[in-house]
Amino acid sequence: MESEGKSVEERIVESYRQDEDMMILVFAQWCVNHDIDPMVLYREAYPHQQENDRLIRVLELTVPKEEAGDIPDETLLGVLSMFGNEDLAVVVSEEIGKRKA
């Protein structure tokens, strides 16, 4: 019985990790689509964190902006908020403001 519970717990954790990777990919692709370096923007939001290995890994999955679909600003902000990345959402909002100015 205990091993069944652990396997459910592991599946939940893995599902969350996959969802989080998708959020990172949406962020990274949005950056690429707007000629923004995702690593620079991430460091601006989280200056005290070490390099984000997951962001580095996910960057390999991005495509050139000419091949990518549009990611609306509101979609990215919603996804960041859903995962509690408020600091990153603030920095992204500032970039959106610069682009619209």
Side-chain angles (χ1 to χ4, degrees):
M1 199 64 125
E2 189 175 308
S3 66
E4 282 182 33
K6 187 173 183 179
S7 105
V8 169
E9 184 178 307
E10 288 172 350
R11 286 189 301 225
I12 291 169
V13 168
E14 181 58 30
S15 176
Y16 182 82
R17 194 171 289 133
Q18 288 173 351
D19 290 347
E20 200 172 36
D21 282 349
M22 184 57 66
M23 177 269 305
I24 295 167
L25 180 57
V26 169
F27 163 71
Q29 189 63 59
W30 179 89
C31 288
V32 168
N33 291 357
H34 294 284
D35 299 315
I36 299 167
D37 183 335
M39 296 299 291
V40 170
L41 212 56
Y42 186 86
R43 270 190 238 108
E44 190 175 323
Y46 303 108
H48 302 294
Q49 282 189 10
Q50 295 179 348
E51 288 209 345
N52 186 318
D53 293 335
R54 291 174 75 190
L55 177 55
I56 292 167
R57 189 178 73 247
V58 169
L59 279 173
E60 297 173 9
L61 302 174
T62 61
V63 296
K65 68 180 182 178
E66 298 78 23
E67 297 175 23
D70 181 48
I71 300 171
D73 299 338
E74 297 76 24
T75 299
L76 174 60
L77 292 171
V79 169
L80 292 174
S81 179
M82 189 168 48
F83 281 88
N85 285 305
E86 302 305 328
D87 293 341
L88 190 53
V90 167
V91 172
V92 166
S93 294
E94 290 170 358
E95 287 298 318
I96 293 168
K98 290 178 192 174
R99 189 178 72 232
K100 291 183 176 181

